[in-house]
């Protein structure tokens, strides 16, 4: 486990609350120093190897790390890195402030428009409302508000200066962004304070039976032991803590009763279920697609049958129309013949009426009439037989013609499907393969010579082309097999690269967690340093008070013991001089250490940027490789 720079480089206040950060910048701390007194580092040899940490000097010749913590340095002001003069950022902050006030029940109407340029009175109401979450009994002072608000923000740890003059014109365009930034920082502090207060303090409320195990005493005790062991090793010069990590994980598993076998079985079961779900989804998609394709083919077949049936009906309708026209002509001829026979009968009847016959003539005529009637009956019978024969032949001819037309329609349909019809089709090669319905002996012979010979030549050409394409297909199949084997090799390479990326991500996450732990330790050490500073200030004040009392007592006994009083004053002055000299030297060392740490932070930023560039380059390489594989 190597130490790498944390993902948070700046000590500026965060825009979003983070449960990993301490309350060092949220509320004043009055805790006792749990890490002991401050160790003032001694000068080391310039030839010895030094190793630096964020809040410490290098490792001396003895291999120990010297912990160097100090308070804030000189009066140098920190520059606010937030883009407070960016209109988009200011609008985002105003929206965040409005949402917070509405959620927390701000007394009074508040809108985004009203927060564009609020008055000083409205700002004081908002500040009092937000600050009351940190101190419920807080009331805004009535006098010197322009001095109290910057002081309270400074006491809370607000790292940026808020001038007194800006309090007189809060809503001005050049002062409102700074005040808005202070309110946003105060809101983030309230959220962080509320989250920590809900979780409970360290080792608090041991008798609470309903508290979560992760926030309870056992977990906190294990975590503190782990932090203490790793910090001790870190101070001794160690950079990796594999044994402590493994021991800590084993204790956590024992504390939470983790069943590794059950967990592993559940993971395997989850993986199997996910594979089953994916397979079912693929099958369902495949089945629906196949069903749609089958339905499409069935509908296409039905449509083709309907088109064929329509063509058959049209041909039959044409035949019936032709037959009806022929019958109409025959009927007209029969009617004309009937009219002629009627006229002849009328003429003969007139002749018969005007003519005088003898009985012999009448008998002869009757006999001739009977013979003629018999002849007419026989002729009518022969005519009926001939008409019946003609009708049967016409029926057979029409059936044969319909069959021939169906065969011709199927042939023409197949020819169009094979792109042989019409003459300008792709596979016709300039030949006319279409059969028309105007049948005759010469037409049939012409069709044989026109269609049969080119078709035979075309069949020979098609067979040759088929054999050639079969050979090409076999070669392409071999090529496809080779490409598939190449794809499998590339997929294995991709899996190997993904595994390497996953390991790199795990290592990066592990390093980030380690840096978070180091950052927490650094924050705790800064807290102890501030506590030690306050103790020093308190001791200095006590020494001054004692010196003043001694001075007063010496003045009262001036006339009695002048020499003794002068000696005591000289001793007191010497003590004060030593104390102030030590404090000034300590502050100078702290300031120097802070400047060194800022330089180191800049170097760590460069290292992180280089790592990000390498990671991005590796990601682009993998994506390009995947795209190439997908093209194959």
């Amino acid at each position: 486990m190597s130490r790498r720079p944390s993902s948070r480089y700046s000590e500026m206040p965060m825009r979003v609350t983070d449960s990993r950060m301490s309350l060092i910048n949220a509320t004043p701390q009055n805790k006792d120093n749990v890490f002991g007194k401050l160790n003032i580092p001694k000068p080391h040899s310039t030839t010895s190897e030094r190793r630096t940490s964020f809040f410490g000097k290098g490792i001396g010749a003895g291999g120990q790390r010297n912990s160097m913590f100090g308070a804030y340095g000189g009066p140098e002001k920190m520059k606010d890195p937030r883009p407070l003069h960016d209109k988009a950022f200011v609008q985002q902050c105003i929206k965040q402030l409005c949402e917070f006030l509405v959620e927390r029940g701000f007394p009074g109407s508040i809108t985004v428009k009203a927060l564009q340029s609020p008055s000083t009175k409205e700002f004081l109401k908002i500040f009092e409302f937000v600050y009351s979450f940190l101190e419920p009994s807080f009331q805004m002072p009535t006098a010197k508000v322009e001095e109290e608000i910057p002081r309270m923000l400074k006491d809370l740890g607000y790292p940026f200066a808020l001038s007194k003059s800006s309090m007189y014109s809060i809503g001005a365009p050049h002062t409102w962004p700074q005040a808005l930034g202070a309110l946003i920082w105060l809101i983030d502090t309230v959220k962080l304070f509320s989250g920590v207060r809900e979780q409970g303090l360290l080792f608090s409320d041991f008798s609470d039976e309903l508290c979560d195990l992760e926030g309870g005493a056992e977990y906190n005790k294990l975590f503190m032991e782990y932090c203490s062991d790793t910090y001790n090793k870190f101070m001794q010069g160690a950079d990796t803590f594999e044994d402590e990590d493994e021991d800590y994980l084993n204790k956590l598993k024992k504390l939470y009763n983790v069943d590794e076998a059950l967990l592993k079985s559940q993971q395997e079961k989850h993986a199997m279920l996910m594979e089953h779900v994916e397979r079912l989804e693929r099958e369902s998609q495949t089945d629906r697609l196949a069903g749609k394709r089958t339905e499409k083919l069935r509908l296409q077949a039905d449509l083709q049958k309907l088109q064929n049936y329509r063509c058959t009906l049209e041909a039959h309708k044409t035949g019936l129309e032709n037959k009806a026209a022929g019958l109409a002509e025959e009927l007209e001829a029969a009617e004309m013949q009937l009219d002629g026979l009627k006229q002849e009968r009328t003429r003969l009847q007139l002749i018969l009426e005007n003519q005088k016959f003898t009985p012999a003539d009448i008998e002869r005529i009757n006999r001739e009439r009977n013979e003629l009637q018999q002849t007419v009956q026989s002729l009518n019978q022969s005519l009926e037989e001939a008409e019946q024969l003609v009708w049967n032949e016409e029926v057979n001819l029409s059936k044969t013609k319909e069959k021939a037309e169906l065969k011709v329609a199927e042939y023409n349909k197949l020819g169009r499907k094979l792109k042989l019809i019409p003459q300008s089709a792709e596979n016709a090669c300039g030949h006319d393969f279409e059969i028309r319905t105007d049948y005759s002996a010469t037409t049939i012979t012409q069709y044989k010579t026109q269609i049969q010979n080119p078709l035979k030549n075309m069949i020979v050409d098609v067979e040759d082309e088929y054999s050639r394409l079969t050979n090409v297909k076999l070669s392409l199949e071999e090529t496809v097999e080779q490409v598939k084997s190449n794809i499998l090799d590339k997929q294995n390479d991709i899996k190997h690269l993904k595994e390497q990326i996953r390991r790199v991500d795990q290592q990066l996450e592990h390093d980030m967690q380690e840096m978070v732990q180091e950052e927490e330790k650094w924050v705790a050490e800064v807290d102890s340093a501030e506590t030690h500073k306050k103790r020093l200030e308190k001791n200095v004040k006590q020494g001054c008070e004692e010196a003043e009392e001694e001075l007063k007592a010496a003045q009262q006994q001036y006339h009695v013991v002048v020499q003794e009083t002068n000696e005591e004053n000289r001793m007191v002055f010497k003590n004060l001089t030593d104390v102030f000299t030590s404090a000034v030297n300590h502050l100078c060392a702290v300031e120097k250490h802070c400047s060194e740490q800022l330089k180191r932070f800049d170097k760590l930023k460069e290292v992180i940027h280089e790592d990000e560039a390498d990671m991005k380059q590796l990601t682009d390489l993998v994506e390009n490789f995947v795209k190439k594989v997908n093209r194959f």
Side-chain angles (χ1 to χ4, degrees), residues 13-17 22-28 96 100 104 130-131 133-134 153 156-159 182-196:
M14 296 181 64
R15 291 298 317 280
V16 182
T17 59
S22 174
L23 284 178
I24 187 67
N25 290 327
T27 56
Q96 183 180 355
F100 176 82
R104 297 302 179 101
V130 176
Y131 196 85
F133 288 101
L134 298 175
L153 290 173
L156 287 176
Y158 186 60
L183 287 177
I184 295 299
W185 181 87
L186 189 60
I187 287 174
D188 293 340
T189 302
V190 169
K191 292 180 180 179
L192 180 61
F193 178 72
S194 300
V196 173

Side-chain angles (χ1 to χ4, degrees), residues 99-326:
E99 291 176 354
F100 176 82
L101 295 176
V102 173
E103 290 177 359
R104 297 302 179 101
F106 180 71
S109 61
I110 191 71
T111 60
V112 176
K113 184 176 180 181
L115 292 176
Q116 298 294 331
S117 179
S119 62
T120 304
K121 185 177 180 182
E122 292 175 347
F123 174 78
L124 294 178
K125 287 183 179 180
I126 294 173
F127 184 84
E128 182 180 3
F129 176 75
V130 176
Y131 196 85
S132 63
F133 288 101
L134 298 175
E135 188 176 349
S137 61
F138 171 73
Q139 290 184 357
M140 183 63 66
T142 57
K144 295 184 179 180
V145 178
E146 64 278 1
E147 297 179 359
E148 291 296 325
I149 290 179
R151 184 189 60 78
M152 287 189 289
L153 290 173
K154 185 177 181 181
D155 292 341
L156 287 176
Y158 186 60
F160 312 116
L162 195 63
S163 63
K164 185 195 305 183
S165 60
S166 62
M167 295 290 103
Y168 293 104
S169 56
I170 288 293
H174 63 283
T175 57
W176 170 235
Q178 282 76 16
L180 179 62
L183 287 177
I184 295 299
W185 181 87
L186 189 60
I187 287 174
D188 293 340
T189 302
V190 169
K191 292 180 180 179
L192 180 61
F193 178 72
S194 300
V196 173
R197 186 171 55 186
E198 291 175 359
Q199 294 176 2
L201 299 176
L202 189 65
F203 301 121
S204 64
D205 199 2
F206 289 98
S207 62
D208 189 3
E209 298 178 356
L210 300 178
C211 64
D212 189 15
L213 183 60
E214 187 174 352
E218 293 295 331
Y219 173 77
N220 291 329
K221 184 178 179 182
L222 289 177
F223 182 70
M224 288 302 297
E225 291 178 354
Y226 170 74
C227 291
S228 178
D229 295 339
T230 53
Y231 181 74
N232 290 333
K233 283 201 171 184
F234 176 76
M235 294 302 295
Q236 293 174 4
D239 286 332
T240 58
F241 313 101
E242 284 84 359
D243 297 337
E244 287 74 10
D245 292 340
E246 185 177 359
D247 189 24
Y248 180 61
L249 289 176
N250 292 331
K251 289 181 180 179
L252 286 178
K253 290 179 181 179
K254 185 177 180 181
L255 176 64
Y256 291 109
N257 296 324
V258 176
D259 190 353
E260 294 184 357
L262 178 61
L263 182 61
K264 186 176 181 181
S265 63
Q266 292 294 330
Q267 291 177 351
E268 293 176 354
K269 185 177 180 182
H270 179 265
M272 293 173 61
L273 291 175
M274 292 300 295
E275 291 178 358
H276 184 63
V277 168
E278 291 178 358
R279 182 172 57 80
L280 291 178
E281 290 179 353
R282 290 196 298 269
E283 291 178 356
S284 63
Q285 293 176 0
T286 305
D287 292 339
R288 286 199 298 270
L289 182 60
K292 294 295 182 182
R293 289 177 178 173
T294 305
E295 185 178 0
K296 179 182 177 182
L297 294 175
R298 182 176 58 79
L299 293 175
Q300 289 178 350
D302 294 342
L303 178 62
Q304 190 64 37
K305 289 181 181 178
L306 289 173
Q307 291 178 352
N308 296 335
Y309 182 67
R310 187 186 68 179
C311 295
T312 304
L313 289 179
E314 289 178 353
H316 184 64
K317 178 182 177 182
T318 305
L320 291 178
E321 289 177 352
N322 294 331
K323 289 180 181 180

Side-chain angles (χ1 to χ4, degrees), residues 369-425:
R369 186 185 66 183
N370 291 330
E371 290 177 356
L372 290 172
Q373 286 179 353
Q374 291 178 359
T375 303
V376 168
Q377 288 178 357
S378 62
L379 291 173
N380 287 333
Q381 186 176 1
S382 300
L383 179 62
E384 289 178 355
E385 291 177 355
E387 288 179 350
Q388 183 65 32
L389 181 62
V390 169
W391 172 254
N392 292 333
E393 291 296 330
E394 288 179 352
V395 170
N396 293 331
L397 180 61
S398 63
K399 290 181 179 179
T400 305
K401 186 177 181 181
E402 288 177 358
K403 292 180 180 178
E405 288 176 353
L406 290 175
K407 294 291 185 181
V408 169
E410 291 179 358
Y411 168 78
N412 291 332
K413 177 184 175 182
L414 183 61
R416 290 187 181 89
K417 187 175 181 180
L418 297 175
K419 297 182 180 180
L420 297 173
I421 298 173
Q423 189 173 358
S424 60

